Amino acid sequence: MNTPTVPEPRTAAALAARRHKTETALQRVHQAIARLRREKAQVSVAAVARRADVSRTFLYNNTEARAAFAAAIADAGERRTQMLADQDDAREATWRERALNAEEALKAAHTEILTQRNRIGELLGQVRDLEAEWTQEAVQRITTENTTLKQRVRQLTTDNRTLDERLKAARSNLRFQDRRVADLEAQIADPSAGAQQ
């Protein structure tokens, strides 16, 4: 019959001290992980070991410490992925808004150019119809107005070209942001691919 062996008092005291030391170290590990999370610092073996004043070996060999560390790493990865996704969403919304604003401005410029061209056509028609009846002063005034309108059309054409270039740039940026979002979604769907990069 096997009787359980009762450890000697010194052995029992040593085992209790060792258990107490391990529990204290585990508490420090949990506190260090919590502090790193609060500070939004990177959770790594070295950082946890340094803050908890334990060895890296302890973090790898103690199952509870290893599990706490693994959970902290997973949580940090999820938070980082969410933060990147939120930042990309904000950037994409900004570029989309800029592209829409550029399109609106381009439409307005086209409308203004068309209006100015129609006005010029009307004025030129009036000049031809009434040229004989008008005084030199009236002809001079209309010529000046015509020159001003032509300058305005040139300015609007230049503005139109600038807005068109901005629209193209905004569309290009939006395509880049769409690709970036797709890459991030792929990383979220397959976290192992993101870890290898």
Side-chain angles (χ1 to χ4, degrees), residues 3 8 28 42 52 58 63-64 78 82 87 114 119 127 135 158 164 166 170 183 188:
T3 59
E8 293 180 18
R28 289 195 315 263
Q42 183 177 1
F58 177 79
T63 52
E64 189 178 337
E78 290 172 8
Q82 183 61 42
Q87 288 175 349
L114 186 59
R119 180 78 175 128
V127 167
T135 65
T158 303
D164 199 23
R166 286 183 185 170
D183 290 346
I188 290 171

Side-chain angles (χ1 to χ4, degrees), residues 100-171:
L100 291 173
N101 288 343
E103 284 179 2
E104 274 304 312
L106 189 60
K107 286 178 187 175
H110 280 298
T111 303
E112 180 67 20
I113 289 171
L114 186 59
T115 302
Q116 294 297 332
R117 284 183 178 163
N118 288 338
R119 180 78 175 128
I120 289 170
E122 289 171 7
L123 290 174
L124 286 175
Q126 288 175 7
V127 167
R128 286 188 197 105
D129 289 345
L130 304 172
E131 194 171 39
E133 298 175 17
W134 291 32
T135 65
Q136 184 62 30
E137 185 178 288
V139 171
Q140 186 72 27
R141 183 178 49 79
I142 290 176
T143 304
T144 304
E145 188 176 60
N146 188 29
T147 303
T148 304
L149 287 172
K150 285 181 181 179
Q151 289 172 350
R152 178 76 176 134
V153 167
R154 277 195 297 273
Q155 180 62 43
L156 287 170
T157 303
T158 303
D159 292 348
N160 184 26
R161 204 173 303 123
T162 302
L163 289 171
D164 199 23
E165 289 170 3
R166 286 183 185 170
L167 177 62
K168 287 177 185 173
R171 285 178 176 161

Side-chain angles (χ1 to χ4, degrees), residues 6-19:
V6 176
E8 293 180 18
R10 288 179 64 191
T11 306
L15 288 174
R18 184 172 184 200
R19 249 191 320 274

